[in-house]
Amino acid sequence: MSEEDIRRYSETEEFRKEVEALAAMPDDQIDFSDIPELTEADFRRMVPTRMLMYRPLKKPVTMRLDVDVLEWLKSTGPGYQSLANRLLRYQMCLALTHRKRHENRPRKSVATNGSGVKKSANGKSRRRA
């Protein structure tokens, strides 16, 4: 079934009636037995769809890339700039997801000796700025 077939079907009266019948069905009558349960690991790997489907304006830029990186991108065929953008967006989404996850964790308290002097990770004292 092609995308065009799906689009045509979604505009039919039969499709509209199916959607209305499903919307009217109580949740307790929906059969979820053929859908696997999501694990904690599945939830950790998820990226919000809005980040993947976001279509911002494009801005032309000049970048200096390593020659081998540029050759690899170009070797993937037409659309290598879009591929570079998708790779960067993916990394950005991972970084944002990672940062959000760590922002919600409680921070460790820093030991001081009462005079505003902190102890660094190696145990030496450091004066606060």
Side-chain angles (χ1 to χ4, degrees):
M1 184 176 269
S2 71
E3 182 181 339
E4 185 58 35
D5 293 334
I6 294 170
R7 186 172 287 118
R8 256 187 261 124
Y9 179 70
S10 69
E11 296 169 354
T12 65
E13 184 66 22
E14 179 185 359
F15 176 79
R16 188 186 62 73
K17 286 181 181 178
E18 284 181 26
V19 170
E20 286 176 2
L22 288 171
M25 182 184 295
D27 288 348
D28 62 348
Q29 291 183 6
I30 299 173
D31 179 18
F32 295 107
S33 63
D34 60 340
I35 302 172
E37 280 195 40
L38 293 173
T39 65
E40 196 62 39
D42 293 328
F43 283 108
R44 280 195 301 273
R45 283 193 304 268
M46 288 183 182
V47 176
T49 307
R50 64 183 157 77
M51 293 179 132
L52 298 174
M53 306 305 286
Y54 183 56
R55 305 246 337 166
L57 296 174
K58 303 288 185 189
K59 180 176 182 175
V61 297
T62 302
M63 293 178 64
R64 293 188 167 281
L65 299 174
D66 295 337
V67 172
D68 58 335
V69 172
L70 184 58
E71 285 177 5
W72 174 77
L73 282 168
K74 286 184 174 183
S75 74
T76 63
Y80 73 92
Q81 291 175 332
S82 295
L83 173 61
N85 191 66
R86 282 195 309 275
L87 292 169
L88 289 169
R89 176 167 297 284
Y90 177 77
Q91 287 300 315
M92 179 188 75
C93 291
L94 284 178
L96 291 173
T97 303
H98 180 75
R99 185 174 20 169
K100 275 188 179 177
R101 203 174 297 142
H102 288 282
E103 284 175 354
N104 295 333
R105 290 185 182 174
R107 294 187 177 200
K108 293 180 182 177
S109 60
V110 177
T112 64
N113 64 5
S115 65
V117 177
K118 293 183 182 181
K119 291 185 180 178
S120 64
N122 63 8
K124 294 182 179 177
S125 295
R126 226 180 43 213
R127 175 133 333 256
R128 248 191 211 167

